Amino acid sequence: MTSSMSMGQPVGASGTAGRGRFEAPAASVTPMVQLVDPSGVRVDDPDFAPIAPPDQTAALLRDMALIRRFDTEATALQRKGQLGLWAPLLGQEAIQVGVHSVLGGTDHVFPSHREHGVGMLMGLPIERMFGIFKGCEMGDWDAEALRFHHYSMVIGAHTLHAVGYAMGMAADARREDARRTDGQRPSSEPGVSVVFHGDGAISEGDVNEAYIFAAAYQAPTVFICVNNQWAISEPVERQSRVPLYQRAWGFGIPGIRVDGNDVLAVQAVTSWALDRARTGQGPTLIEAFTYRMGAHTTSDDPTKYRSADESEGWQHRDPIARTSAWLRSVGEWDDAQQAQLDQDTEAFGAEVRAAVDRVPDPSLGQVFDRVYAGTTDLLERERAEALGRVAR
């Protein structure tokens, strides 16, 4: 973080020295979109304003609270041995809820391995996510129907899939345009692929190739770079000499940094980027500036590589607390609503705990059935041999 940027300061107004928000800035300037500061006070931004009125923002608060409870329960289930591994999302709820809240009905999401909240909001059953982390399934749900594609355990590999999918959607839209007669309305809104990746992924070759393709073909893709400051144990400062969003300009892609703990800011910036993509203006990179409050995964111990002071410094920027504080300040949240939400999250916690027991154990035959879309002679022989060995 450069000294010119501070959380809670109205951003974009200071230090830009005549440069526009959407022009490549000087490397020493790090403007960030923020609409509600960490204490819950509304701040102005020269280019963005809240989309959701206060009464609708209460629904975003509820989603963030439920996602946090889901994540907390999943972490506890791993500690009890009911999951083999979990990738916590604690502190990153505003990004997932803010992005999801402005998705259109034809948009497709390509997650990394931490977008459990987005998946949940898009209708992915909890037990399907648990199946992956319990080692019982490969996460091969119907991604086309769900519009939430498969988890990417290989860092950054899915960014190329997302760009390719976006190029396909754009080609389909062009073909439909060519077939339409004068005055005929499009059958649906143009789709956008939204791809999440972390700050560590930006150093991967696949991700840089995805940026190149997206820029070259003006693909309708929105990249959400979740900068949670640490790529496992590697700090972001060691990964990049410049703020991550500025790297997008080298590929010819507009880049913008948003306060990732401010759900209203994430919602506003994502909506803008989706509109750019939908109207043929090409890709956008959004750097969501946040902090991973927990471990990278439950096999990791962050106390070995980062200080307690650093983690504590981020606690007062909590996305749920600041949204609640702002809603209270405008009269859209009170103790009775909070008590109801607490009761709802408690009940939801019980649902999450029950879901892990619904994960079915895979049969040996399924291991072979899910390798390819269609089987092969070799696979059939290996399947028969394995089943025969077990039967003896």
Side-chain angles (χ1 to χ4, degrees), residues 46-392:
D47 300 302
F48 294 94
I51 294 175
D55 59 328
Q56 292 180 17
T57 303
L60 305 181
L61 175 64
R62 176 184 172 82
D63 285 344
M64 288 193 289
L66 292 175
I67 288 171
R68 176 164 296 183
R69 186 55 184 258
F70 169 39
D71 185 64
T72 303
E73 292 288 348
T75 302
L77 287 168
Q78 194 283 326
R79 297 307 188 204
K80 291 171 63 180
Q82 291 179 273
L83 296 175
L85 184 73
W86 187 247
L89 60 83
L90 182 64
Q92 300 177 191
E93 298 88 352
I95 300 169
Q96 302 198 17
V97 171
V99 171
H100 171 265
S101 68
V102 288
L103 292 176
T106 56
D107 298 334
H108 284 246
V109 171
F110 292 76
S112 65
H113 54 271
R114 206 184 299 278
E115 276 69 50
H116 321 306
V118 183
M120 190 180 86
L121 293 174
M122 294 186 75
L124 179 63
I126 291 171
E127 50 266 40
R128 296 300 304 266
M129 283 180 265
F130 281 169
I132 300 172
F133 291 97
K134 200 173 180 179
C136 293
E137 73 155 276
M138 300 172 70
D140 52 346
W141 49 78
D142 187 343
E144 187 63 26
L146 200 58
R147 297 186 294 109
F148 184 77
H149 289 250
H150 304 144
Y151 274 27
S152 176
M153 302 301 179
V154 178
I155 303 300
H158 62 304
T159 56
L160 286 163
H161 306 160
V163 173
Y165 199 91
M167 292 165 63
M169 286 194 288
D172 288 344
R174 286 194 297 273
R175 280 192 287 271
E176 184 181 345
D177 284 344
R179 287 195 298 266
R180 270 204 319 273
T181 56
D182 290 344
Q184 188 179 10
R185 296 171 61 84
S187 60
S188 62
E189 186 177 54
V192 177
S193 71
V194 178
V195 55
F196 289 82
H197 65 71
D199 49 282
I202 210 162
S203 300
E204 293 285 338
D206 283 354
V207 177
N208 287 267
E209 290 165 14
Y211 293 163
I212 290 169
F213 267 87
Y217 293 97
Q218 288 293 280
T221 306
V222 175
F223 297 94
I224 309 289
C225 175
V226 180
N227 178 5
N228 64 22
Q229 313 300 316
W230 290 91
I232 308 183
S233 59
E234 202 73 12
V236 70
E237 294 84 2
R238 195 170 298 158
Q239 301 172 60
S240 180
R241 296 286 186 182
V242 299
L244 300 184
Y245 80 98
Q246 291 187 10
R247 294 173 60 157
W249 292 98
F251 296 93
I253 299 174
I256 188 167
R257 174 179 279 188
V258 63
D259 185 339
N261 287 18
D262 177 356
V263 69
L264 293 185
V266 173
Q267 185 184 53
V269 170
T270 306
S271 177
W272 165 77
L274 287 169
D275 187 57
R276 288 192 74 255
R278 227 182 291 288
T279 54
Q281 299 176 70
T284 303
L285 171 66
I286 298 172
E287 178 192 355
F289 197 81
T290 186
Y291 192 76
R292 168 167 54 79
M293 295 302 295
H296 175 69
T297 69
T298 46
S299 64
D300 166 46
D301 180 3
T303 65
K304 301 295 185 186
Y305 54 79
R306 67 186 191 191
S307 70
D309 287 346
E310 179 185 296
S311 300
E312 289 171 8
W314 276 86
Q315 287 180 1
H316 79 281
R317 304 173 185 177
D318 184 83
I320 294 178
R322 84 166 63 176
T323 306
S324 173
W326 175 65
L327 285 172
R328 284 180 182 273
S329 73
V330 295
E332 289 290 342
W333 198 252
D334 56 28
D335 290 345
Q337 289 169 298
Q338 184 62 51
Q340 182 62 57
L341 181 57
D342 291 343
Q343 186 177 328
D344 292 346
T345 53
E346 191 66 25
F348 182 61
E351 289 180 32
V352 173
R353 293 192 295 276
V356 77
D357 294 327
R358 294 198 297 269
V359 178
D361 290 330
S363 67
L364 181 58
Q366 287 177 311
V367 173
F368 293 90
D369 294 341
R370 292 180 168 179
V371 177
Y372 300 117
T375 190
T376 66
D377 292 341
L378 174 61
L379 204 58
E380 281 298 314
R381 289 197 300 274
E382 291 177 342
R383 185 179 193 275
E385 181 182 334
L387 292 175
R389 192 180 305 129
V390 170
R392 285 198 294 271

